Amino acid sequence: MDEKISTDGPIFVTQPFLPPLEEFVPYLDEIWKKKILTNGGPFHQQLERALCDYLGVGHIALFANGTLALVTALQSLRITGEVITTPYSFVATSHSLLWNGIKPVFVDIDPDTLNIDPGKIEAAITPQTTAVLPVHCYGRPCDTEAIQKIADSYNLRVIYDAAHAFGVTEDGRSVLNHGDLSVLSFHATKVFNTFEGGAIVCPDAKTKQRIDHLKNFGFVSEVSVAAPGINGKMSEFGAALGLLQLRYIDAVLDRRREIDAIYREDLRDVEGIRCIDTAGRGKSNYAYFPILVEREFGMSRDDLYGNLQKAGIYARRYFYPLISDFPMYRGLPSAHHENLPVARDTAAKILCLPIYPDLRPDQIRRVVNTIRNS
Ligand SMILES: *Cc1c(COP(=O)(O)O)cnc(C)c1O
């Protein structure tokens, strides 16, 4: 057996970025002094403002995580009936629909962008359709113009799952301003993290206020509750960490861009490995480094995945299986395999390679060499 023993410990697909611990201490001191731990405290308010500035958006409501933000975004617009979405995403995208009693309707993806194919949306619209829930997959912007056009002509809402799209811009403008709402995740595995966290980007103060009520049980004053809200609030701990992370985000994105460029250069001549363009017309955040393992590579995606694992490299098959293949979705008519050929083909070939700021050049070389020698 030719077991490749790694000499340098495992390499995971991502590793969260953490600023120096000593820089977090003053924030903790402040929390301990003021004894304000949550409920829209000073750090929470500061982070909302700082994120609006950094991202170039009008209004932000912070959340305890991205999934609660998705569930609440749908609630805030009173979305019901059927919602058109992509099967090629993290399962929370569709779960947020089920938690609202909404029927997901899966539409196939575009083979170049891996985002929902706008050309296939219209055929999926029924009298029950109320909204579209697209995902900016790997941070690559959706065809927002085409989606909005369809939404306008059928009077549908658009909520973007923008969990991958922190800091992504197109023509110098944030992609988070498209549609009715956009939802971010600040989970540990994302480009910008607050351990757990998320946010809804909203177009106006009134919408933000409604969302702020919803994330605090529906309280609109000390004694009145206007809606069946939830507890979705981000704590002062998370907000403080977010403020500190923001000081490092540009350096984090720079380093990710360098790693992305090295992979692209070093994998260029490897037959059967196709590096996905995660930017399109936009400016990428290099959140992921997805490759397609094509037939010409001479080895299946799963065999390459196994070989990498043997070398201590834990790439991930994002997104496999498709959401539409999980038990709570596969009975839906739109989950049928014939309806989703591109998503199915992509899920069988996709592999996300390790990318994170602390990934060293020798580790990148190890990943590339393991692929080359497979
Ligand atoms: C991470 C992620 C979510 C969920 O966010 P959490 O903060 O982990 O709840 C939702 N959608 C997509 C596409 C994601 O990648």
Side-chain angles (χ1 to χ4, degrees), residues 64-70 88-94 135-138 161-164 183-190 195-198 288 319:
N65 61 64
T67 304
L68 276 169
L70 274 172
Y88 192 76
S89 179
F90 182 60
V91 72
T93 308
S94 294
V135 179
H136 300 297
C137 192
Y138 309 127
D161 181 338
H164 299 177
V183 176
L184 290 163
S185 165
F186 308 148
H187 183 256
T189 54
K190 305 299 205 275
F195 288 14
E196 293 270 5
Y288 300 87
F319 291 99

Side-chain angles (χ1 to χ4, degrees), residues 44-295:
H44 186 282
Q45 292 173 34
Q46 272 182 54
L47 182 60
E48 285 191 341
R49 280 194 302 270
L51 283 173
C52 283
D53 284 349
Y54 181 79
L55 297 171
V57 301
H59 301 270
I60 274 190
L62 295 174
F63 274 79
N65 61 64
T67 304
L68 276 169
L70 274 172
V71 168
T72 308
L74 292 158
Q75 281 275 321
S76 73
L77 299 178
R78 300 183 178 86
I79 306 296
T80 58
E82 296 177 3
V83 169
I84 292 170
T85 190
T86 169
Y88 192 76
S89 179
F90 182 60
V91 72
T93 308
S94 294
H95 277 0
S96 70
L97 297 172
L98 292 196
W99 273 73
N100 279 289
I102 295 164
K103 181 176 165 187
V105 175
F106 297 111
V107 161
D108 206 5
I109 57 172
D110 177 283
D112 288 325
T113 67
L114 307 185
N115 290 323
I116 195 166
D117 185 342
K120 293 181 178 153
I121 291 177
E122 264 184 291
I125 296 173
T126 76
Q128 281 71 50
T129 310
T130 57
V132 188
L133 177 61
V135 179
H136 300 297
C137 192
Y138 309 127
R140 179 169 173 146
C142 288
D143 188 343
T144 51
E145 215 169 292
I147 292 169
Q148 196 57 53
K149 220 170 180 177
I150 297 164
D152 288 343
S153 46
Y154 290 88
N155 195 23
L156 307 177
R157 301 289 208 149
V158 184
I159 298 174
Y160 284 102
D161 181 338
H164 299 177
F166 187 94
V168 171
T169 60
E170 213 171 32
D171 308 320
R173 298 199 55 231
S174 173
V175 295
L176 304 172
N177 290 313
H178 293 293
D180 293 279
L181 299 171
S182 289
V183 176
L184 290 163
S185 165
F186 308 148
H187 183 256
T189 54
K190 305 299 205 275
V191 161
F192 172 86
N193 88 80
T194 58
F195 288 14
E196 293 270 5
I200 301 178
V201 176
C202 34
D204 55 75
K206 193 163 157 249
T207 310
K208 171 172 160 54
Q209 186 167 68
R210 178 166 167 73
I211 289 167
D212 283 343
H213 293 154
L214 281 173
K215 79 177 187 190
N216 190 31
F217 312 99
F219 275 107
V220 293
S221 75
E222 197 181 323
V223 290
S224 54
V225 173
I230 200 162
N231 181 0
K233 303 185 300 289
M234 178 182 279
S235 79
E236 284 293 277
F237 184 90
L241 185 62
L243 285 166
L244 180 55
Q245 292 279 26
L246 263 188
R247 293 205 220 146
Y248 286 88
I249 187 67
D250 285 332
V252 163
L253 295 179
D254 280 349
R255 183 62 197 135
R256 284 180 171 277
R257 179 168 41 76
E258 287 165 11
I259 296 168
D260 178 282
I262 296 170
Y263 271 137
R264 271 177 216 282
E265 177 61 26
D266 290 359
L267 291 170
R268 210 166 35 141
D269 62 338
V270 182
E271 207 189 340
I273 296 293
R274 206 172 102 207
C275 299
I276 290 169
D277 171 12
T278 52
R281 294 194 306 121
K283 182 174 144 286
S284 181
N285 61 6
Y286 312 98
Y288 300 87
F289 196 87
I291 60 170
L292 291 174
V293 184
E294 306 282 4
R295 196 183 310 276

